[in-house]
C-alpha cells in the first residue's frame, strides 16, 4: 500500500508538473504571440513612415524642379531684356533714317513703297522683340479678331515686292 500510495503520489506529481508545464506553455505562447503582433504593428508603422518619406521626397524633387524652371525663366528674362535693349537701339536708328528718307523722297511712289516695306519690317522686328519680352512675363491672353486676307496681302507684298500675288483665299474658295 505504501508502494501504491507512492505510485499515486508520483503520478499526481507528474500530472501536476505536466499541468504546470501546460499552463506555462500557454502563457509563453500567448506572450510570444503578443510579441509577434507588436512586431507586425511596428512593421506597419515603419511602412507608413517609409511611404510618408517617399511622398515627401517626391514633393521635394517636384519643388526642386519647379525652382530650377523658375530660375531658367528668370535668366531668360534678364537675357531677353538685354538683347531687346541692344536690338531696339539700331532699329530706332533705322526707323529714324526711314522717316528722313521718306521726307526727302517726296512723292516718288516707287521709293515710298520700299520705305514703307522697310518700315513695316522694322515694326515686325520690334513686335518680335516685344513678344520675347512678353514671353518672360506672365499675363492673361486676349483674343483679337484677325483679317487673314489683309494679313496675307501685307506678307505677300513684303516677301515678293508687290501686290500682284493672287489672293490664296480665293484659290481655296474655288477648290
Amino acid at each position: 500500500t505504501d508502494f501504491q500510495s507512492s505510485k499515486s503520489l508520483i503520478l499526481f506529481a507528474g500530472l501536476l508538473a505536466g499541468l504546470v508545464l501546460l499552463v506555462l506553455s500557454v502563457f509563453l505562447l500567448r506572450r510570444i504571440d503578443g510579441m509577434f503582433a507588436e512586431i507586425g504593428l511596428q512593421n506597419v508603422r515603419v511602412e507608413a513612415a517609409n511611404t510618408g518619406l517617399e511622398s515627401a521626397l517626391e514633393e521635394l524633387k517636384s519643388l526642386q524642379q519647379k525652382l530650377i524652371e523658375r530660375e531658367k525663366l528668370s535668366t531668360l528674362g534678364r537675357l531677353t531684356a538685354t538683347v531687346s535693349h541692344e536690338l531696339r537701339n539700331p532699329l530706332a536708328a533705322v526707323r529714324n533714317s526711314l522717316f528722313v528718307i521718306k521726307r526727302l523722297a517726296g512723292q516718288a511712289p516707287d521709293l515710298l513703297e520700299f520705305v514703307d516695306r522697310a518700315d513695316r519690317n522694322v515694326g515686325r522686328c520690334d513686335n518680335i522683340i516685344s513678344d520675347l519680352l512678353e514671353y518672360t512675363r506672365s499675363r492673361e491672353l486676349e483674343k483679337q479678331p484677325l483679317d487673314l486676307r489683309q494679313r496675307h496681302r501685307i506678307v505677300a507684298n513684303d516677301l515678293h515686292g508687290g501686290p500682284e500675288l493672287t489672293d490664296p483665299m480665293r484659290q481655296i474658295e474655288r477648290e
Side-chain angles (χ1 to χ4, degrees):
T1 76
D2 266 348
F3 179 68
Q4 275 209 334
S5 70
S6 294
K7 197 174 168 186
S8 291
L9 192 57
I10 291 175
L11 185 61
F12 177 73
L15 285 175
L16 187 60
L19 184 62
V20 167
L21 283 176
L22 182 64
V23 169
L24 187 58
S25 296
V26 168
F27 174 76
L28 288 175
L29 283 175
R30 284 189 179 168
R31 179 114 175 158
I32 290 171
D33 196 36
M35 292 170 100
F36 277 122
E38 182 65 30
I39 290 170
L41 185 60
Q42 290 296 329
N43 280 341
V44 168
R45 289 179 184 152
V46 167
E47 286 176 9
N50 192 30
T51 301
L53 287 173
E54 287 173 354
S55 177
L57 180 63
E58 287 302 314
E59 184 178 348
L60 181 62
K61 285 180 181 178
S62 175
L63 290 173
Q64 183 180 27
Q65 189 61 36
K66 287 178 184 176
L67 182 63
I68 289 169
E69 290 299 317
R70 285 186 181 159
E71 187 59 34
K72 284 180 181 179
L73 282 177
S74 175
T75 302
L76 179 63
R78 289 190 302 272
L79 178 64
T80 301
T82 301
V83 169
S84 297
H85 176 74
E86 293 301 320
L87 288 176
R88 280 196 166 147
N89 285 337
L91 284 176
V94 170
R95 184 168 267 156
N96 289 336
S97 297
L98 289 171
F99 177 77
V100 171
I101 292 170
K102 194 173 191 178
R103 289 190 80 195
L104 293 175
Q107 297 302 322
D110 291 342
L111 185 58
L112 290 177
E113 182 181 333
F114 290 111
V115 170
D116 287 340
R117 184 178 312 133
D119 191 43
R120 277 194 308 273
N121 282 298
V122 167
R124 285 177 53 208
C125 291
D126 195 43
N127 286 339
I128 290 169
I129 293 168
S130 295
D131 289 347
L132 283 172
L133 287 170
E134 284 298 316
Y135 177 76
T136 58
R137 297 180 194 135
S138 60
R139 67 177 190 131
E140 301 252 345
L141 294 178
E142 295 177 22
K143 295 180 182 179
Q144 296 178 350
L146 176 68
D147 184 350
L148 289 177
R149 290 176 197 254
Q150 179 185 6
R151 179 67 61 170
H152 175 264
R153 278 188 223 105
I154 291 169
V155 171
N157 189 27
D158 288 346
L159 291 176
H160 300 289
E164 65 274 353
L165 197 65
T166 59
D167 187 350
M169 298 306 272
R170 287 191 191 140
Q171 289 177 354
I172 292 171
E173 288 170 0
R174 281 188 231 148
E175 294 174 0

